């Protein structure tokens, strides 16, 4: 047959949400490249999607048929069954759980595998709301800290678009491994550098973008808030605060500065473990910059002071009065699209009094039965909790319990699927229609299937339609088509849609969320803060009401651990949480552990050897990479590896505590884990 090209969108967990051109031949994907449908991504995509998408869809690990477990939990022993058998078995086992324990003994365990609005959570939540299942608080796993810090300070509004970086005179990239996970921001930053702009990178690890920076501050994990305070105080000393802007648009200034002023440059340099002159230089460059663009990343939130660090960082442009059409903060992009989640997910179907459990506590609840009713049936979809969750070994022990019925819905036989009683094959984003916002830019896209589902795989929406039918749910909302779900997902009457019906957005042209005059959205240009006061709230009563009185203002909590090294877990340029690279993992695919030469020398360790990384929760065997890319006292290893890459059957998620939380949103502390390292 003749190859044809079709438009698509990348749905994997990345802020860029690139537009794609997919070449299809005889029903198979043979090539994936970027397209110009989304001007921001402009035909450029990452290597991992370009090189591995074909195997992701058609490779030997792809699930194609419903399966029933016949061996011990985790053994991977399954037999093929029909869809009718699978749905009947699920209905029978879940009905037994509901009859004995009540519907709240059932819970979805899902996260953000696909970022499509339909595949993510649409018909699925309608199903669980109608069932009366326990609800899941997911934001503690990732993104919640950053979102709470942003909305507590500026409200549920978009910041400036990432395109602004191209014209900045100073770009500050803070806790953002942008080359790996924010590629098109980097392209815009490079454009600005060609015009003579400066780049500052604040990141513990010397990432690829840090190597290109005019100034790199490798601060110690958890000290971002101290750096933010010190910069605020130094800028005040320099007379750089815009007092007129502050008087009109900023609340809580005096309280914030009372906390910032004690952090002198010298004190901050000692705590952050960076040169004092570099902090002074950054303050001077920020004061001089016009325009100034700040781009915080997810890495900034993943520690005990994550919320405070973000709040101190995003306060700086407000103190300088550098917010507007050209200067601003690349955050809050998810608020650019006028989403209507209640219409899409139908929480009104949920019985009053339904409980909500924290996703990071699921391992403990499964292992200990410390909630009433206990969890006795879980649906795992869009998620690989064994690899992704903190306290990995506790999660595994919980999933090993035979009295808990586990349903898996997946594309591949992941580590988590191996524990399930029934596994249902899910369609990839190339095999279903969906609507895509982004958490990194202000464009809305729609995609249609480019190939038919492989084998008997089905889109998530259709799987949950069939489940709803088998459970006897007769509400009209369970018969909604995918185009109808798209129109439920976004307010088509909102001016930002320009009269465009969501389900009719062209697949070959992204729709920009713009102001009524067509200009890009920008805070303090055509968007204003949506806080209760209508101002930038450096002291937030909203956050205090949600997370306790200590959350009213940012604060520094020192680290006190008996293990001497701080482990951070940056993103990989080869995979996304065990997706796209490997067929189940092999020791040759183990990410290395990066350690400073001083720390290696003190332990008698040499590069190229295997080392044991351990604490009270687990241990991982990794190849050692000795490098000054990390500062003394810090080690780094990429997240998301398969379990089989370590001889212990554990990854670095086993070392992260699920109980130690950030100061906002109960966020996980993946980048603030204390470990020791020894020869393997």
């Amino acid at each position: 047959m003749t190859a044809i090209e079709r438009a698509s969108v990348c749905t994997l967990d990345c802020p860029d949400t690139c537009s794609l051109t997919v070449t299809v031949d005889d029903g198979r994907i043979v090539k994936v490249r970027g397209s110009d449908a989304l001007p921001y991504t402009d035909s450029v995509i990452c290597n991992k999607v370009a090189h591995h998408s074909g195997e992701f869809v058609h490779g030997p690990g792809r699930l194609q048929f419903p399966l029933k477990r016949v061996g011990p939990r985790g053994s991977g022993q399954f037999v093929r069954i029909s869809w009718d058998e699978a749905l009947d078995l699920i209905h029978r086992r879940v009905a037994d759980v509901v009859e004995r324990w009540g519907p709240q003994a059932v819970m979805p365990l899902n996260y953000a595998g696909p970022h499509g609005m339909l595949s993510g959570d649409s018909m699925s939540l309608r199903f669980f709301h109608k069932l009366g299942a326990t609800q899941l608080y997911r934001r503690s796993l990732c993104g919640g800290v950053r979102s709470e810090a942003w909305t507590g300070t500026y409200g549920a509004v978009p910041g400036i678009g990432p395109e602004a970086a191209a014209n900045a005179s100073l770009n500050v990239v803070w806790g953002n491994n942008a080359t790996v996970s924010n590629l098109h921001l980097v392209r815009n930053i490079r454009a600005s550098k060609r015009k003579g702009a400066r780049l500052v990178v604040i990141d513990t690890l010397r990432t690829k973008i840090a190597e290109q920076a005019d100034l790199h501050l490798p601060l110690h994990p958890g000290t971002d808030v101290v750096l933010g305070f010190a910069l605020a105080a130094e800028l005040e000393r320099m007379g750089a605060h815009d007092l007129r802007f502050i008087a009109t648009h900023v609340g809580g200034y005096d309280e914030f500065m009372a906390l910032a002023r004690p952090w002198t440059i010298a004190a901050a340099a000692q705590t952050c473990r960076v040169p004092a002159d570099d902090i002074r230089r950054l303050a001077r460059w920020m004061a001089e910059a016009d325009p100034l663009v700040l781009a915080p990343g997810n890495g900034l939130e993943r520690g005990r002071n994550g919320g405070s660090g973000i709040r101190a960082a995003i306060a700086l442009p407000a103190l300088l009065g550098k917010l507007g059409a050209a200067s601003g903060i690349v955050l809050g992009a998810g608020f650019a699209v006028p989403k209507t989640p209640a219409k899409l997910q139908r929480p009104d179907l949920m019985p009053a009094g339904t409980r909500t459990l924290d996703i990071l506590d699921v391992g403990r609840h499964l292992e200990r039965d410390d909630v009433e009713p206990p969890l006795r049936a879980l649906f795992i979809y869009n998620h690989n909790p064994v690899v992704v969750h903190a306290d990995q070994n506790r999660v595994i022990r919980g999933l090993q319990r035979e009295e808990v019925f586990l349903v898996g819905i997946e594309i591949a036989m992941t580590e988590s699927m191996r524990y399930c009683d029934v596994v249902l094959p899910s369609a990839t984003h190339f095999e279903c229609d969906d609507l895509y916002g982004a958490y990194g830019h202000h464009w809305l896209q729609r995609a249609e299937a480019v190939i038919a589902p492989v084998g008997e795989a089905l889109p998530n929406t259709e799987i949950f339609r069939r489940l709803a039918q088998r459970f006897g749910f007769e509400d009209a909302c369970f018969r909604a088509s995918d185009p109808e779900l798209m129109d439920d997902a976004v307010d088509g009457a909102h001016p930002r849609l320009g009269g465009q019906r969501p389900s009719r957005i062209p697949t070959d042209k992204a729709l920009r969320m713009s102001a009524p005059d067509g200009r890009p959205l920008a805070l303090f240009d055509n968007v204003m803060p949506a806080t209760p006061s209508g101002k930038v709230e450096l002291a937030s009563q909203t956050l205090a009401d949600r997370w306790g009185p200590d959350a009213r203002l940012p604060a520094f909590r020192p680290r006190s651990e008996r293990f001497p090294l701080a482990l951070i877990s940056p993103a990989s340029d080869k995979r996304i949480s065990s997706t796209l690279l490997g067929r189940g993992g092999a020791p040759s695919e183990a990410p290395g552990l990066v350690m400073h030469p001083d720390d290696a020398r003190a332990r008698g360790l040499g590069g190229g050897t295997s080392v044991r990384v351990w604490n009270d929760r687990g241990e991982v065997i990794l190849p050692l990479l000795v490098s000054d890319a990390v500062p003394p006292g810090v080690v780094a290893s990429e997240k998301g590896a398969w379990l089989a890459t370590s001889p212990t059957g554990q990854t670095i998620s086993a070392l992260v505590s699920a109980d130690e939380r950030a100061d906002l949103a109960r966020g996980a502390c993946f980048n603030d884990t204390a470990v020791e390292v020894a020869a393997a």
Side-chain angles (χ1 to χ4, degrees):
M1 295 181 66
T2 303
I4 58 174
E5 292 187 339
R6 292 177 173 164
S8 190
V9 175
C10 182
T11 185
L12 299 177
D13 188 1
C14 167
D16 290 9
T17 315
C18 300
S19 62
L20 305 175
T21 295
V22 181
T23 304
V24 177
D25 191 356
D26 195 22
R28 293 179 63 88
I29 292 173
V30 296
K31 185 178 181 180
V32 176
R33 58 186 176 85
S35 83
D36 60 4
L38 175 59
Y40 172 59
T41 60
D42 192 27
S43 302
V44 175
I45 61 172
C46 67
N47 289 331
K48 50 193 169 189
V49 170
H51 294 161
H52 299 293
S53 290
E55 185 175 9
F56 172 64
V57 176
H58 303 292
R62 179 68 194 275
L63 293 170
Q64 299 190 39
F65 308 100
L67 303 173
K68 181 177 71 172
R69 180 172 66 90
V70 294
R73 281 276 168 95
S75 67
Q77 297 177 40
F78 294 89
V79 295
R80 177 179 171 180
I81 58 175
S82 70
W83 270 100
D84 285 342
E85 290 176 284
L87 295 173
D88 286 346
L89 176 56
I90 293 169
H91 177 257
R92 183 173 69 254
R93 292 290 302 272
V94 172
D96 289 345
V97 168
V98 171
E99 181 178 4
R100 179 176 179 185
W101 302 101
Q104 293 190 91
V106 183
M107 189 182 75
L109 180 53
N110 66 305
Y111 192 62
H115 275 233
M117 296 186 194
L118 274 59
S119 296
D121 253 331
S122 58
M123 192 62 72
S124 53
L125 280 192
R126 292 184 181 190
F127 172 80
F128 290 113
H129 288 150
K130 179 69 174 181
L131 183 65
T134 289
Q135 298 299 292
L136 186 65
Y137 172 68
R138 302 168 179 83
R139 298 171 71 213
S140 57
L141 190 60
C142 180
V145 175
R146 189 170 67 158
S147 178
E148 287 294 292
W150 174 256
T151 56
T153 306
Y154 290 96
V157 293
I160 203 165
E163 295 91 341
N167 296 309
S169 66
L170 174 64
N171 280 293
V172 179
V173 176
W174 198 325
N176 185 349
N177 191 3
T179 312
V180 170
S181 54
N182 207 172
L183 175 63
H184 299 88
L185 174 68
V186 176
R187 295 177 69 224
N188 281 281
I189 289 172
R190 287 174 179 164
S192 75
K193 286 180 68 65
R194 288 193 292 270
K195 301 171 189 174
R198 289 168 171 152
L199 168 63
V200 174
V201 173
I202 304 169
D203 199 307
T204 303
L205 178 68
R206 190 173 68 234
T207 58
K208 290 182 180 179
I209 192 170
E211 293 174 350
Q212 303 165 24
D214 299 282
L215 178 64
H216 172 217
L217 278 72
L219 74 177
H220 198 71
T223 64
D224 305 84
V225 59
V226 170
L227 178 61
F229 279 156
L231 288 169
E234 179 68 6
L235 290 166
E236 182 185 41
R237 187 194 65 77
M238 296 167 59
H241 285 195
D242 187 334
L243 298 180
R244 181 176 298 178
F245 181 90
I246 291 168
T248 305
H249 297 297
V250 177
Y253 174 75
D254 291 337
E255 293 174 87
F256 180 89
M257 290 307 302
L259 295 173
R261 291 184 188 112
W263 284 103
T264 64
I265 295 290
Q270 182 176 10
T271 298
C272 298
R273 305 185 193 181
V274 296
D277 285 346
D278 287 351
I279 302 176
R280 291 191 187 94
R281 183 178 297 113
L282 175 54
R284 185 174 71 253
W285 287 0
M286 293 183 75
E288 296 169 353
D290 185 23
L292 167 67
V293 172
L294 172 66
N298 278 354
L300 182 54
E301 74 170 5
R302 294 173 179 166
R304 64 197 181 282
N305 300 317
S308 294
I310 295 170
R311 293 170 72 185
I314 64 179
L316 298 172
L319 297 177
L320 293 167
K322 295 184 179 183
L323 294 166
S327 291
I329 306 164
V330 182
L331 264 184
F335 298 113
V337 176
K339 300 172 186 175
T340 48
K343 189 175 180 182
L344 177 65
Q345 299 167 356
R346 296 296 304 274
D348 58 294
L349 297 170
M350 182 171 47
T354 300
R355 72 182 177 188
T356 298
L357 298 179
D358 188 319
I359 193 169
L360 290 177
D361 292 333
V362 170
R364 187 185 79 241
H365 296 326
L366 288 172
E367 183 187 29
R368 301 180 185 175
D369 281 349
D370 60 354
V371 290
E372 183 61 36
L375 294 173
R376 286 295 178 264
L378 266 65
F379 288 72
I380 303 174
Y381 63 102
N382 297 348
H383 193 30
N384 187 2
V386 167
V387 165
V388 175
H389 278 221
D391 215 334
Q392 182 177 83
N393 291 320
R394 187 161 71 182
V395 172
I396 291 173
R397 289 192 297 270
L399 295 179
Q400 286 174 333
R401 295 188 60 184
E402 286 284 352
E403 57 267 54
V404 182
F405 178 62
L406 300 176
V407 178
I409 303 171
E410 251 295 0
I411 292 165
M413 182 56 72
T414 67
E415 293 93 337
S416 300
M417 292 300 102
R418 295 171 68 89
Y419 291 92
C420 291
D421 298 284
V422 179
V423 177
L424 304 178
S426 180
T428 70
H429 55 288
F430 295 115
E431 301 159 14
C432 58
D433 302 347
D434 217 326
L435 196 63
Y436 300 94
Y439 64 89
H441 59 70
H442 297 174
W443 299 79
L444 180 62
Q445 302 176 83
R446 187 177 70 86
E448 295 176 350
V450 300
I451 60 172
V454 172
E456 295 181 5
L458 293 172
N460 282 2
T461 50
E462 179 59 22
I463 290 173
F464 281 97
R465 280 191 200 96
R466 295 189 182 191
L467 282 166
Q469 182 181 28
R470 184 63 188 84
F471 277 71
F473 299 163
E474 298 180 353
D475 310 63
C477 66
F478 293 107
R479 297 189 295 274
S481 65
D482 286 352
E484 289 172 325
L485 290 173
M486 291 182 191
D487 292 335
D488 286 342
V490 174
D491 181 5
H494 195 283
R496 291 180 191 169
L497 272 289
Q500 182 70 66
R501 190 172 173 181
S503 61
R504 300 290 180 85
I505 293 173
T507 58
D508 60 352
K509 186 176 181 181
L511 180 63
R512 188 171 199 161
M513 301 292 100
S514 305
D517 61 4
R519 291 186 303 120
L521 299 175
L523 193 59
F524 282 99
D525 178 33
N526 45 39
V527 176
M528 294 301 289
T531 57
S533 67
K535 296 182 177 183
V536 180
E537 296 189 349
L538 303 186
S540 174
Q541 189 57 42
T542 298
L543 293 179
D545 292 342
R546 289 178 185 166
W547 307 108
D550 290 345
R552 189 168 185 276
L553 287 156
F556 175 61
R557 294 186 295 172
R559 178 172 177 262
S560 177
E561 292 281 357
R562 69 184 185 90
F563 294 97
L565 298 171
L567 170 67
I568 62 173
S569 50
S572 169
D573 62 355
K574 300 179 180 65
R575 65 183 171 273
I576 299 176
S577 296
S578 70
T579 299
L580 295 181
L581 176 66
R583 304 178 182 180
S588 61
E589 295 173 351
L593 181 81
V594 184
M595 175 181 278
H596 192 274
D598 292 350
D599 292 324
R601 192 178 305 112
R603 291 163 176 78
L605 302 173
T609 59
S610 293
V611 294
R612 183 172 68 99
V613 191
W614 60 280
N615 59 21
D616 290 337
R617 286 173 287 276
E619 63 178 47
V620 185
I621 307 298
L622 296 173
L624 181 64
L625 305 174
V626 178
S627 169
D628 63 359
V630 292
V634 177
V635 290
S637 187
E638 293 174 348
K639 66 179 181 176
W642 294 85
L643 296 188
T645 60
S646 170
T648 64
Q650 303 169 43
T651 67
I652 57 173
S653 291
L655 310 176
V656 181
S657 172
D659 301 321
E660 296 173 5
R661 303 298 185 92
D663 49 358
L664 288 181
R666 294 185 51 77
C669 294
F670 288 102
N671 281 344
D672 202 359
T673 297
V675 299
E676 181 54 286
V677 177

